[in-house]
Amino acid sequence: MPSGLNTDAIGPVDVAVIAFEGNRFNGDVAPALRELQQNGTVRVLDLSFVRKGADGSVDILELGDEEVAEEFQQVTEAQFDLFSDEDLLKIADGMPAQSSALVVAWENSWAARLGAAIRGSQGELRLLERIPRDTVVAAFAALDAD
């Protein structure tokens, strides 16, 4: 097991699929992910790239592949292979031709302590839901309108 991982204290894990028009991923997301990992907000567990060509063909790139390794080499110290080829091909099915996506799984390290406290007090998380960004922006805009 990689250093610093304790299954009793691991935080919630999210998977994000970040879509990009065009079939070249430029790596601009890497510094933001690296910063989040370095400051302990998240721990990147797995990272893959899916690229769909004009003819519908699919390329899957892993973290160690030359095309992306340089940009993302310092983002994660260990890769857990949480995404199977089948998972990534399913994601590609929903993508338009000539597009690409970054697929990333991260542990929400910031929530690990709270999760351990909940479990330790025999509590159980019954609902966790993310409010869409557009809803939050609209709520803030409504505050400004008053």
Side-chain angles (χ1 to χ4, degrees):
M1 179 178 306
S3 66
L5 279 184
N6 174 352
T7 57
D8 293 332
I10 196 166
V13 175
D14 288 333
V15 173
V17 177
I18 304 161
F20 300 92
E21 287 185 31
N23 62 5
R24 292 269 322 148
F25 182 76
N26 67 15
D28 289 347
V29 175
L33 279 174
R34 191 169 27 256
E35 181 181 321
L36 289 170
Q37 176 139 315
Q38 288 172 343
N39 70 24
T41 302
V42 302
R43 180 190 325 250
V44 176
L45 302 175
D46 199 357
L47 219 145
S48 293
F49 305 88
V50 179
R51 186 171 47 211
K52 194 169 194 178
D55 62 356
S57 62
V58 175
D59 290 320
I60 296 172
L61 301 171
E62 298 291 333
L63 189 58
D65 289 341
E66 188 176 319
E67 288 184 57
V68 295
E70 186 177 330
E71 295 292 335
F72 287 90
Q73 67 184 347
Q74 296 175 351
V75 171
T76 184
E77 51 192 55
Q79 190 163 1
F80 289 81
D81 290 328
L82 296 174
F83 308 129
S84 68
D85 284 350
E86 183 179 313
D87 296 330
L88 297 170
L89 289 171
K90 236 182 240 185
I91 289 167
D93 282 345
M95 293 169 49
Q98 291 289 91
S99 66
S100 57
L102 166 65
V103 184
V104 60
W106 62 69
E107 172 202 3
N108 290 288
S109 306
W110 62 268
R113 170 69 180 100
L114 176 61
I118 291 169
R119 288 185 300 279
S121 62
Q122 308 310 309
E124 179 182 339
L125 180 63
R126 294 284 176 108
L127 176 67
L128 178 64
E129 189 171 322
R130 180 160 289 143
I131 299 171
R133 184 180 191 291
D134 292 345
T135 302
V136 175
V137 169
F140 275 96
L143 288 175
D144 286 342
D146 292 338

